[in-house]
Amino acid sequence: MSANPKKGFVSSTLSYKGGIGHWSWILHRLGGLGIAFFLILHILDIFMVGVSRAAFEELLFIYHEPLLRPVIWALVFGVFYHALNGLRIIIQDFWPHMFRYQKQLATTVWVIVIVLTVFLVGVDIAGMLA
Amino acid sequence: MQVTLKIQRFNPEKDSAPYWKEYTIEAEPTDRVLDGLLKIKLEQDGTLTMRSSCAHGICGSDAMRINGVNRLACKSLFQEVGNNVTVEPIAGLPVIKDLVVDMEPFMEHYRSVLPFFINDDPPPEKERLQSEEDRLKFEETTKCILCGCCTTSCPTFWATDAYVGPAAIVQAHRFIFDSRDQGSAQRLEILADPDGVWRCRTIFNCTNACPREIKVTEAIAEVKKEILFSKL
Amino acid sequence: MTTRYARTPKPSGSTFEVLSWFYMRASGALLALMVVFHLIWMHYVIGLTNIDFDVIAGRWTGPGGIFWRSYDLTLLILASLHGMNGIRFVTDDYIHNRGWRAVVKALIALVLLLMVVFGGLVIFTFNG
């Protein structure tokens, strides 16, 4: 017998049907963590430019390897989403009445993010075919 | 219509963990979820436990998670929630029995923001006057009934109940923006704490959950701005 | 002077959280523009498959060298601080044990320091 159980935050977070704001937050947070992790790697790989030409060329597969493209595209999407959703949050934080248009703004974010992502993925694919 | 209610049950004297149980009842589309629960209690299982008092959306006793979102059982009609309904206690607070949770942590946060009128000036002969415009600044937040729907819909509160929570901030907002009140500085100082307003990630669940349709996230943002501009 | 009302725990009166909250917005707005420009530049103007040592070296030592070094340095500092502060928020939300929280926060601070040092070193000292 265990007294006073409390629903854990993981199951609450995943099971709550909170709508677009709730899912935006989850994506914003996961995306932020992913970007921060890539940023650490990115600083290290660019640091190699300063070490030597050969050391950096060892790492060029990150940008050239076609098999890694889906990872790069996921990252591109994550960056665009985090940036645009962040701008939405800033707008709402400093002009609180904009929270009345939460749904419309969140939808706008999605539209812009999809357009930007499709554009860059298209550019990358065109570059691979060329 | 026939309605199936899947209810989370827990009896601390018998059960080691909460479990789900299904009940089927006959109900009118215009019946409320609360009516359904009371019908089950009356006709099928007298041990089913929940809080309710006025049953008209004013006392704020019967907040529960219905079909995955926080609502008042007395303000949810079967015609809007459908005939397959899941009912569980609001999250982030310890379950005492079935749908009843311990509201004390919630009330503790409520008390912490000094939710009462502070004015040390001697009382005037008539009432303390206020312009219509000044009154409108906190009109929204006077509507709070402390049901807990907002605070227990907040992912930050689920993760850490040290967070003061939307309801307490709404209550603080009601006094902070009251031109007759003199305790704003103290309340802002309390809410500027690491466990105060900064824990709000503008997720918006609170605004969606509020049965009084208070624009909760907006009120929190106004408090944040007030603190920011008083500190900068 | 209004009456002081007791409350436990007493508010700390620290401005750290409000500044950190404001920093996330200010740097976030700048970063949104700078990172989107960075991505479009690297993918569209240069092209991923064309990236190599000479492109990066030319960027820092060519005619626009000062511009690109400042751009990259600003991006480095704003983004590292923004990212590590974000991880600190997540730590505050989910790690409740005081000891573990302190350990993780110390680690975040160390990683932040290393990011700025490593990144800054190459941007400042690179000479082809």
Side-chain angles (χ1 to χ4, degrees):
Chain A
M1 189 195 100
S2 80
N4 300 341
K6 195 165 103 171
K7 202 170 181 148
F9 70 83
V10 176
S11 67
S12 297
T13 302
L14 295 179
S15 66
Y16 197 80
K17 304 220 170 20
I20 198 163
H22 184 70
W23 295 106
S24 300
W25 165 73
I26 292 178
L27 200 55
H28 194 79
R29 181 158 279 207
L30 291 177
L33 289 173
I35 297 163
F37 181 68
F38 173 79
L39 179 63
I40 297 172
L41 295 181
H42 192 44
I43 289 173
L44 288 179
D45 82 69
I46 296 301
F47 179 75
M48 289 304 162
V49 173
V51 172
S52 73
R53 175 183 284 265
F56 181 65
E57 279 171 353
E58 292 263 312
L59 295 173
L60 272 178
F61 72 93
I62 298 172
Y63 307 104
H64 295 170
E65 173 59 51
L67 289 176
L68 279 180
R69 279 301 151 85
V71 180
I72 300 246
W73 293 333
L75 185 77
V76 165
F77 166 76
V79 169
F80 284 150
Y81 187 78
H82 198 83
L84 269 297
N85 195 52
L87 289 177
R88 172 180 71 84
I89 292 172
I90 295 170
I91 289 170
Q92 293 178 332
D93 275 341
F94 286 97
W95 294 274
H97 67 275
M98 292 304 276
F99 273 111
R100 290 171 203 185
Y101 309 102
Q102 150 92 358
K103 238 185 194 143
Q104 290 90 324
L105 285 173
T107 314
T108 312
V109 165
W110 272 104
V111 172
I112 301 175
V113 168
I114 289 172
V115 168
L116 282 173
T117 310
V118 166
F119 167 67
L120 271 207
V121 169
V123 163
D124 286 349
I125 292 175
M128 285 157 83
L129 297 177
Chain B
M1 69 194 275
Q2 209 178 44
V3 179
T4 307
L5 288 118
K6 193 177 155 203
I7 303 173
Q8 185 182 312
R9 303 293 310 266
F10 172 72
N11 178 351
E13 286 164 12
K14 291 205 321 240
D15 308 324
S16 58
Y19 62 96
W20 295 96
K21 197 161 174 192
E22 281 191 16
Y23 302 88
T24 305
I25 53 162
E26 250 331 295
E28 295 295 322
T30 50
D31 278 351
R32 304 157 306 171
V33 173
L34 180 64
D35 297 322
L37 293 172
L38 291 172
K39 194 168 183 190
I40 294 167
K41 188 174 171 69
L42 194 67
E43 296 171 0
Q44 299 185 28
D45 187 345
T47 64
L48 179 63
T49 309
M50 82 226 54
R51 280 196 190 104
S52 75
S53 184
C54 80
H56 288 82
I58 295 299
C59 74
S61 303
D62 60 349
M64 38 193 93
R65 191 189 276 203
I66 298 169
N67 281 350
V69 289
N70 289 355
R71 337 175 43 141
L72 295 183
C74 60
K75 281 187 94 173
S76 309
L77 307 185
F78 284 120
Q79 64 188 13
E80 54 187 49
V81 297
N83 51 5
N84 268 307
V85 187
T86 56
V87 185
E88 53 195 309
I90 45 180
L93 294 168
V95 177
I96 295 175
K97 191 181 179 189
D98 293 341
L99 301 170
V100 176
V101 296
D102 180 4
M103 295 293 280
E104 186 45 32
F106 172 84
M107 289 301 173
E108 202 181 306
H109 287 310
Y110 167 57
R111 289 191 295 265
S112 78
V113 299
L114 316 177
F116 43 81
F117 184 69
I118 300 175
N119 188 326
D120 289 350
D121 294 343
E125 272 186 31
K126 287 187 180 174
E127 64 270 34
R128 297 175 201 271
L129 291 175
Q130 183 170 49
S131 72
E132 207 173 316
E133 195 189 330
D134 281 344
R135 178 63 177 73
L136 282 174
K137 284 182 188 158
F138 62 96
E139 166 64 18
E140 278 279 311
T141 45
T142 58
K143 296 191 282 183
C144 176
I145 53 173
L146 288 173
C147 62
C149 276
C150 58
T151 294
T152 58
S153 75
C154 174
T156 312
F157 184 77
W158 299 332
T160 162
D161 55 15
Y163 171 44
V164 66
I169 301 173
V170 161
Q171 289 290 338
H173 178 285
R174 184 252 168 271
F175 292 100
I176 289 169
F177 292 94
D178 186 336
S179 60
R180 300 162 299 184
D181 184 275
Q182 297 173 347
S184 301
Q186 285 182 61
R187 293 192 194 90
L188 291 174
E189 202 181 319
I190 291 163
L191 291 175
D193 247 16
D195 287 324
V197 286
W198 313 119
R199 280 291 170 92
C200 164
R201 316 291 187 208
T202 62
I203 300 166
F204 212 66
N205 281 357
C206 50
T207 307
N208 286 337
C210 182
R212 306 284 294 166
E213 289 166 358
I214 300 170
K215 300 175 187 81
V216 184
T217 322
E218 195 175 318
I220 299 175
E222 283 171 8
V223 174
K224 283 176 178 166
K225 263 180 81 177
E226 199 70 16
I227 297 176
L228 180 72
F229 292 130
S230 70
K231 295 270 184 185
L232 279 186
Chain C
M1 184 62 206
T2 44
T3 318
R4 268 226 75 97
Y5 290 89
R7 175 194 182 252
T8 47
K10 214 178 155 301
S12 64
S14 147
T15 53
F16 181 74
E17 281 308 320
V18 57
L19 291 178
S20 129
W21 181 86
F22 183 68
Y23 172 78
M24 290 310 257
R25 268 88 198 146
S27 67
L30 254 172
L31 277 169
L33 300 174
M34 291 183 73
V35 172
V36 168
F37 176 74
H38 176 70
L39 281 184
I40 291 177
W41 188 268
M42 298 315 284
H43 286 247
Y44 180 65
V45 179
I46 293 181
L48 277 194
T49 37
N50 302 325
I51 293 177
D52 61 15
F53 183 86
D54 296 321
V55 167
I56 314 280
R59 177 182 161 103
W60 281 337
T61 53
I66 299 287
F67 168 77
W68 283 115
R69 282 189 207 234
S70 323
Y71 191 88
D72 291 345
L73 189 71
T74 312
L75 207 51
L76 168 77
I77 294 170
L78 286 179
S80 303
L81 199 51
H82 187 101
M84 291 305 116
N85 197 34
I87 295 183
R88 185 184 67 87
F89 284 175
V90 178
T91 312
D92 273 340
D93 279 359
Y94 301 129
I95 301 182
H96 301 136
N97 179 299
R98 286 170 135 242
W100 280 114
R101 202 190 261 192
V103 170
V104 173
K105 281 190 185 178
L107 213 65
I108 293 170
L110 180 71
V111 170
L112 171 63
L113 184 74
L114 292 177
M115 286 164 88
V116 175
V117 167
F118 275 66
L121 210 60
V122 67
I123 294 173
F124 269 120
T125 62
F126 184 80
N127 50 19

